[in-house]
Amino acid sequence: MEKSTTVGTQKIAALFDAGTFVETGAYMKRADTDLTGVVCGYGAIGGKLVYAFSQDSDRKKGAFDALQAEKIAMLYSMAMKNGAPIVGMFDSAGAMISDGASVMSAYGKLLKCVSDASGVIPQIALIGGVCAGMSATVAAMFDLVVTVKDQSELFVNAPFIVGKEIGSAEKASENGLSSVLAENEAEAMAKIAKLIALLPSNNEDGVVAEEITDDINRTVAVDGLTGKALVEVLADASDFIEIGADYAKETVVGFASFGGVLCGVIASNKDENGGVITCDGAKKAAKMVSLCDSFSIPVLTLVDSVGVEVSAEAEGAPLASQLGKLAMSYASADTAKITVVIGKAYGAAFTLLGSKALGADMVYALPASEISVMAPASAVAFLWNDRITEDTTRADLEKKWVSENASAEAAASDGSIDDVIVPAELRQRICAAVYMLMMKNAGEPRRKHCNLPL
């Protein structure tokens, strides 16, 4: 029996460097057909070993069954043993319903494979067509999800069931299910290749300095910049891969290199409601910190936020729970953590976004930053309202509050921040901190015994 070439085999081969793809389980088939709905194999992407599976809409419309689960489980076993990433290409009309309970167990087997690999090897999902029901749950468990405009469909319950339009690539990008939204499949493949090149192959690779593509001592002009624009000015060659760009826009996250070292970045975007921390923004930041910590990727946090969201909707989310998850992600992360207060850091925003109290290794602030338990206007109204006179206006008191109680120097005086740095030197100081902390995840050297004095 000869192996057949289908859309699935063509797509998966296109993911890899030319001529490197090797199919596995090619002759595995169902008893009632010569085909099965998934193609599995391995090859090189940018010279790195990668495993992949591609649900094949040409084969039984990619219908998921126990055989698919078995083939993918075998692939996961090889990927885990060899410490290499997995790319899952989803395109299936759903489960093989006629298989009964076995197909439900098959989904369970796949869910366990993805769960066991989480935090051990990177997992990237590409939604090439329909990804519905339990398959959507599987894809959502991957570290990163790439969707394609006008092509991807990602949902648990179909639109005709819930009664409204859901599940498009654009909707998935807006609700945070999609990490990266591509214009077409070729762009999606290119973005996956770039992510594979940047990410470690597994959780034991550690922090590795690649070839430096920019001057680490380059001065920068950061005045007025926020969010993505700020990160691009600071990053090597202004190269920043944003994750979840359409979701919780008040918080920007993604990957960038500093002095050749890949870092995860969380940055407040003050242009979106003052960079306020929302429920979705907290989840977005916590997910990035967790992902980075899994693979020992340093975390850079750039803070410019007026505080947390104030609304009945947020409290019903509930806000406290999401803020708790954000705090726990920073507090439990062992990876290197560097924080810079760029502008405002009011109340919980200062504490939650990578403070020293939550375990940050280095915390800096720019001279004009404002670090205050509450907004200066609120602080004056609460504490100094009686000081307002004909000669002393509210604006005067707010200015006085900032200079005496909310300055970077005041925060440095009690050790809440490590240094107040010149804005032009921000990139230099970030690179220096990244280099200094590169070996942190190796742990403290084990001592055999003390060295006795003479």
Side-chain angles (χ1 to χ4, degrees):
M1 182 178 69
E2 294 184 0
K3 293 186 290 184
S4 60
T5 301
T6 64
V7 170
T9 55
Q10 292 170 355
K11 282 186 177 181
I12 197 170
L15 177 68
F16 293 98
D17 299 344
T20 66
F21 174 65
V22 177
E23 188 174 354
T24 60
Y27 293 99
M28 294 176 69
K29 64 177 184 177
R30 288 174 59 90
D32 57 353
T33 178
D34 287 339
L35 301 174
T36 186
V38 69
V39 180
C40 298
Y42 63 89
I45 298 179
K48 291 177 68 172
L49 174 64
V50 177
Y51 292 82
F53 66 85
S54 176
Q55 291 184 314
D56 193 342
S57 58
D58 269 9
R59 298 179 175 182
K60 294 278 186 179
K61 295 184 178 180
F64 186 78
D65 58 10
L67 187 60
Q68 267 206 45
E70 181 62 27
K71 286 184 71 172
I72 296 172
M74 290 168 59
L75 188 79
Y76 263 89
S77 178
M78 288 188 287
M80 292 283 278
K81 288 176 182 177
N82 290 284
I86 275 197
V87 176
M89 305 169 75
F90 291 82
D91 186 2
S92 170
M96 189 73 73
I97 299 174
S98 60
D99 286 1
S102 70
V103 75
M104 293 185 286
S105 296
Y107 273 123
K109 187 171 189 175
L110 180 53
L111 288 165
K112 189 174 189 306
C113 285
V114 176
S115 178
D116 289 346
S118 183
V120 181
I121 55 175
Q123 300 177 86
I124 301 175
L126 171 61
I127 313 303
V130 178
C131 182
M134 287 298 292
S135 288
T137 302
V138 174
M141 291 170 63
F142 277 49
D143 298 309
L144 298 163
V145 178
V146 180
T147 53
V148 183
K149 283 184 179 180
D150 303 320
Q151 182 174 322
S152 303
E153 296 181 59
L154 181 62
F155 52 80
V156 174
N157 295 300
F160 72 88
I161 295 175
V162 298
K164 65 177 182 179
E165 186 60 35
I166 49 101
S168 67
E170 290 75 13
K171 289 290 185 182
S173 185
E174 290 171 9
N175 65 25
L177 269 176
S178 171
S179 309
V180 176
L181 178 60
E183 291 290 332
N184 50 58
E185 200 162 87
E187 182 181 301
M189 296 283 197
K191 288 182 180 294
I192 290 173
K194 188 167 186 178
L195 287 167
I196 289 292
L198 288 173
L199 293 171
S201 289
N202 56 68
N203 64 344
E204 293 187 349
D205 267 6
V207 180
V208 179
E210 301 293 343
E211 182 180 354
I212 300 174
T213 59
D214 201 349
D215 180 7
I216 61 172
N217 293 313
R218 171 171 57 84
T219 57
V220 292
V222 298
D223 289 348
L225 297 181
T226 188
K228 182 179 180 180
L230 174 62
V231 180
E232 288 178 338
V233 165
L234 298 172
D236 290 352
S238 299
D239 190 9
F240 175 54
I241 301 177
E242 187 173 2
I243 302 300
D246 297 320
Y247 175 65
K249 294 182 179 181
E250 65 281 351
T251 302
V252 172
V253 308
F255 296 105
S257 291
F258 296 88
V261 178
L262 177 69
C263 295
V265 182
I266 295 99
S268 305
N269 179 15
K270 67 179 180 182
D271 289 343
E272 290 284 335
N273 196 20
V276 66
I277 304 176
T278 63
C279 291
D280 289 343
K283 288 190 286 186
K284 184 178 180 180
K287 167 73 173 178
M288 175 55 68
V289 175
S290 177
L291 173 59
C292 291
D293 188 49
S294 294
F295 299 105
S296 302
I297 300 170
V299 174
L300 170 66
T301 307
L302 303 172
V303 185
D304 192 354
S305 172
V306 297
V308 301
E309 182 179 7
V310 180
S311 71
E313 292 79 11
E315 292 298 335
L319 180 60
S321 177
Q322 302 307 328
L323 297 181
K325 291 176 184 177
L326 178 59
M328 291 177 72
S329 67
Y330 273 106
S332 61
D334 292 326
T335 194
K337 292 169 284 189
I338 303 158
T339 301
V340 185
V341 180
I342 301 297
K344 295 179 173 61
Y346 294 163
F350 176 70
T351 306
L352 292 170
L353 292 174
S355 64
K356 287 190 75 68
L358 284 181
D361 299 288
M362 298 299 297
V363 178
Y364 303 122
L366 300 188
S369 59
E370 298 176 16
I371 302 170
S372 178
V373 69
M374 61 177 67
S378 301
V380 169
F382 186 68
L383 296 173
W384 289 357
N385 215 36
D386 58 341
R387 299 189 188 185
I388 298 174
T389 65
E390 291 183 359
D391 298 323
T392 305
T393 66
R394 183 176 298 277
D396 292 333
L397 290 174
E398 289 176 9
K399 186 176 181 181
K400 180 180 176 66
W401 177 271
V402 170
S403 64
E404 294 182 0
N405 300 287
S407 67
E409 289 79 4
S413 68
D414 67 6
S416 294
I417 64 173
D418 294 298
D419 200 0
V420 181
I421 60 178
V422 178
E425 298 177 358
L426 182 53
R427 172 176 159 79
Q428 300 173 30
R429 297 298 296 273
I430 290 171
C431 290
V434 169
Y435 286 155
M436 182 268 290
L437 294 166
M438 277 180 61
M439 296 305 295
K440 178 186 175 185
N441 288 95
E444 295 183 6
R446 178 180 171 274
R447 184 177 72 170
K448 184 176 181 181
H449 57 72
C450 63
N451 186 18
L452 297 175
L454 291 174

